[in-house]
Amino acid sequence: MRILLIEDDLMLGESMVASLSRRGYTVDWLQQGQGVELTLKTEDFLAVILDLTLPDIDGLQVLRQIRRAGHQLPVMILTARDGIDDRVKGLDGGADDYLVKPFALEELLARLRVMIRRLSGSSETEIQLGELTLSLLNNDVCFRGEPVKLTRNEFKILSTLVAQAGRVMSKDKLQQALHGWDDTASDNAIEVHIHNIRKKLGSPVIKNIRGVGYIIENR
């Protein structure tokens, strides 16, 4: 549930970070195009929200850099450019979606859910993995048909592992997914949250690969 926001408008950026955070996303925010490629090379995100009018590099150039580097994560363009030619260039340039400013928050959230569903290979608002079901619409969790009440942070960790099913996620990667670039978080937080999730599910859905990290098998 970690999103990279690339937006130079301070008021809009602050509003988006606050709004998305309240909806369970972890948002890291860059205000210019420089550094995007390095950030994506060294850190994991589920999706990118990209403004086209940046102070240093045109957003379409940033998009081309992302795709040339081989990054397959979903990219949503968020811009005031509303011409048909602009939309075509953005989508043909590798964007997965194109949303024109001003926009409604609920529409942005819905479009994010669509991109994340595609990433997980699902066309539904729910992601099914074995006996585990996650709702992207209201952050609900069911295991073996029974509802499981998770805290916001526990849901973030579980949804990150589900989105990356079959891939081992290190504690550092999960820490980034949970807190982004906030370096004030406790180093023990991930272990505590994993312990609580396992206890609530009552089953070793999350496996510990000693010395490497945690995994939910893709089955």
Side-chain angles (χ1 to χ4, degrees):
M1 304 289 279
R2 188 183 183 199
I3 307 296
L4 179 62
L5 172 65
I6 309 163
E7 169 64 62
D8 70 319
D9 186 300
L10 291 177
M11 290 185 63
L12 178 58
E14 289 174 353
S15 175
M16 290 182 65
V17 170
S19 298
L20 290 172
S21 297
R22 284 195 298 269
R23 298 302 183 98
Y25 292 94
T26 298
V27 185
D28 288 316
W29 176 22
L30 294 175
Q31 297 177 34
Q32 58 184 18
Q34 291 286 356
V36 171
E37 191 173 354
L38 178 60
T39 297
L40 293 179
K41 184 177 181 181
T42 56
E43 303 189 43
D44 290 329
F45 296 89
L46 280 184
V48 173
I49 300 175
L50 172 65
D51 183 22
L52 292 186
T53 307
L54 299 171
D56 56 344
I57 304 175
D58 186 80
L60 288 177
Q61 184 177 343
V62 174
L63 178 61
R64 286 193 291 269
Q65 291 175 353
I66 291 173
R67 295 311 187 208
R68 279 200 302 264
H71 300 295
Q72 300 299 316
L73 78 173
V75 176
M76 178 192 297
I77 288 177
L78 187 65
T79 180
R81 301 182 193 174
D82 59 356
I84 296 298
D85 288 345
D86 294 315
R87 294 172 188 258
V88 170
K89 287 179 182 177
L91 294 170
D92 282 347
D96 297 85
D97 203 351
Y98 195 108
L99 185 59
V100 176
K101 301 175 184 177
F103 59 92
L105 176 63
E106 291 303 324
E107 182 179 3
L108 172 66
L109 291 167
R111 288 170 180 258
L112 273 177
R113 289 193 294 268
V114 168
M115 293 199 305
I116 293 171
R117 292 204 305 268
R118 290 173 184 164
L119 188 64
S120 67
S122 173
S123 61
E124 306 294 334
T125 57
E126 293 182 343
I127 297 176
Q128 185 85 35
L129 186 64
E131 298 176 303
L132 189 64
T133 304
L134 275 71
S135 169
L136 297 176
L137 189 59
N138 49 27
N139 291 1
D140 285 342
V141 176
C142 285
F143 183 65
R144 295 175 179 168
E146 296 295 328
V148 180
K149 187 173 180 58
L150 299 182
T151 67
R152 178 180 295 181
N153 285 341
E154 289 166 2
F155 184 86
K156 281 185 179 182
I157 291 174
L158 184 61
S159 60
T160 298
L161 288 168
V162 167
Q164 303 288 344
R167 175 185 175 190
V168 179
M169 299 289 291
S170 69
K171 189 168 74 171
D172 286 344
K173 292 294 185 183
L174 289 174
Q175 185 87 340
Q176 291 174 3
L178 187 59
H179 298 292
W181 293 328
D182 180 4
D183 58 4
T184 63
S186 168
D187 290 339
N188 296 324
I190 298 301
E191 294 174 357
V192 172
H193 291 315
I194 293 287
H195 171 79
N196 290 337
I197 295 170
R198 283 171 163 168
K199 187 175 180 180
K200 291 178 180 181
L201 293 179
S203 176
V205 173
I206 302 174
K207 296 185 177 180
N208 180 16
I209 309 300
R210 188 175 298 276
V212 182
Y214 301 93
I215 185 174
I216 290 180
E217 294 182 347
N218 190 6
R219 56 181 174 81

